[in-house]
Every structure is written in structure tokens, then in C-alpha cells.
Amino acid sequence: MLRTRVIPVLLVREGCLVKTIQFNRFEYVGDPCNTVRIFNELEVDELLVLDITPDRFHRGPDYHLIADLADECFMPLGIGGGVRSLEDARAIFAAGIEKVVINTAAIERPDLIREISTVYGSQAVIVSIDVKRGLFGANTVRTRNGRRRTDLDPVVWAKKAEMFGAGEIMLTSIDREGTWNGFDLELVHSVANALSIPLIAHGGAGNLQDIVNVVKKGGSSAVALGSMVVFQKQGMGVLVNFPDNKLIHGLLK
């Protein structure tokens, strides 16, 4: 059985590291490269950096920042934000990045998933799915950093993304993101059960028990952490940190 991965997710906006609550209320955290250096020292196994700069989809990836991150990062690194074409992915991989994360472009042109995975392998492609629950309880997929509603069901879209060649799905609950209130276990379970590829659960982690619950009850293959790894505790100041790996994996046995 593969070890459950616990992955820090860093959000970048206009070159600065930030943290959001439900994709809103941006709080400045620090410098992305300095934060990567700290995670190097903490011996994190993997890292994801998502650029949520307004209009990033139209502007394309920030290749200068990507090059700086690649130079600093000693662990496998995934980059998302503004990837719209095979050429974008090619430039990111050429910088030394191991994975690309695609969201809006994957929905607007699903063949992009196949194009990238055909050239670089499915293990190099993470399809990110942002989900928000509506007034009547239905979960729908959102794009453009959660601003644009689609009519897509997250389970249906996740299965389609897998069919097109995604190696992993990163599932984010917009309603839980940054709240410290725990994962949406029902949502995670519904998507995880439909897939044969790894699912990274993201949005809501507030303590170690939340990590255990989303793996054991939700069925996720990996867990992505945001607030927990950049703040001391909920409502407290910035402190880049990472839970003790031995403790986490002991709890997951």
C-alpha cells in the first residue's frame, strides 16, 4: 500500500504568498521562495504552488517566478495557474518542474489533458477541481478561481478528466477552504469512489484528525494543506510549519 502523501499547497497572488478563506479575503503570508526554503529544511515530500493572480489565465504562467521556485525547491514541485496549452506545460517542465496543475483550461478544452499526458505522462498532470455547494445542496464545479459557475457535477467531471489522461485529481471544497472546519467528507468520498487514480483532498484541514478522517472516511489518496502549514493556529500569526510525518503516518495506520 502506498504511503498517504501530505502536501503543502501555497497560493501566490501577484508574486506574493497569500492565504484565502473560501477563495476570498486574501491575507499576505510572505515570500514564496523563502517559504520554499523552509519547506526544504522541513523535508516535505512534495509541494504544490498555485498562482491565483487575477487574469492569470489570460496572462499565462509567471515563468520568472516558476524558474525561481524551481531553483530553490529540493522536492517534487507542481505548478498551477495560467496553463492553457501544451506549450505552456512544455516551458514549465523545461524549468525543472515535475507536475502541472490545470483547472479552467481542462474544462474549457479537455483535450489539453490528453495532449500533456501523452507527451509527459499522466503522472505529470494534476487536474484541479474547485467545487461549491449551492443553495439546494447540489455541488457544482467552478472555474476562474471560483468566480465562474459551470453546470458540471464534480463526480462526472473527475471521471472524464481521468478518461482524458489525468494522473491525479485535486479536489477543493470552496466552502471549506481556509475555514479550519474539516474536509467535506461526503464530497471527497463521492469523487474518490468514482476514480481509479489518486485523489488529493484540499480545503478545510484544521488539525491532524481532519487528515485522518479524509483518508479513512473520505477515501482520499493524499491530503493538501494550506492554512495549517502557514499559520501558527487559527486566528494566529504566520508560521511556516509542517506536521510531524511519523506522527501523521502513525495515525493513518
Side-chain angles (χ1 to χ4, degrees), residues 28-209:
Y28 175 76
V29 173
D31 177 77
C33 289
N34 286 340
T35 304
V36 167
R37 293 187 195 105
I38 296 173
F39 282 126
N40 285 334
E41 295 174 2
L42 294 172
E43 299 183 343
V44 172
D45 293 330
E46 187 175 345
L47 183 65
L48 296 176
V49 177
L50 308 179
D51 193 330
I52 60 170
T53 300
D55 296 327
R56 176 57 64 201
F57 182 74
H58 296 294
R59 294 158 63 179
D62 183 344
Y63 295 116
H64 179 74
L65 175 62
I66 290 169
D68 287 345
L69 292 171
D71 286 342
E72 294 290 348
C73 194
F74 297 157
M75 70 208 80
L77 176 60
I79 292 288
V83 180
R84 303 162 297 179
S85 66
L86 178 59
E87 290 70 30
D88 289 336
R90 183 176 287 117
I92 290 171
F93 289 126
I97 304 301
E98 285 79 10
K99 298 180 182 181
V100 293
V101 184
I102 53 176
N103 185 312
T104 297
I107 290 176
E108 297 186 358
R109 191 168 70 84
D111 276 332
L112 178 62
I113 306 170
R114 180 176 290 128
E115 291 172 6
I116 300 174
S117 63
T118 297
V119 176
Y120 294 99
S122 61
Q123 81 289 339
V125 183
I126 300 174
V127 170
S128 173
I129 301 177
D130 299 329
V131 179
K132 188 170 180 60
R133 192 178 296 273
L135 292 176
F136 300 104
N139 286 309
T140 55
V141 177
R142 298 289 186 101
T143 62
R144 308 293 176 106
N145 291 331
R147 297 190 304 273
R148 181 172 295 180
R149 184 183 184 277
T150 75
D151 293 324
L152 292 172
D153 175 84
V155 174
V156 173
W157 169 232
K159 291 170 66 176
K160 185 175 180 181
E162 177 180 7
M163 180 188 71
F164 271 88
E168 296 181 80
I169 300 295
M170 178 177 171
L171 180 69
T172 302
S173 166
I174 296 175
D175 300 299
R176 299 296 183 100
E177 189 268 338
T179 65
W180 301 73
N181 290 333
F183 294 91
D184 185 335
L185 297 181
E186 181 182 354
L187 171 64
V188 173
H189 187 267
S190 66
V191 177
N193 272 2
L195 297 173
S196 59
I197 57 175
L199 175 69
I200 305 169
H202 177 231
N207 54 54
L208 294 180
Q209 190 59 49

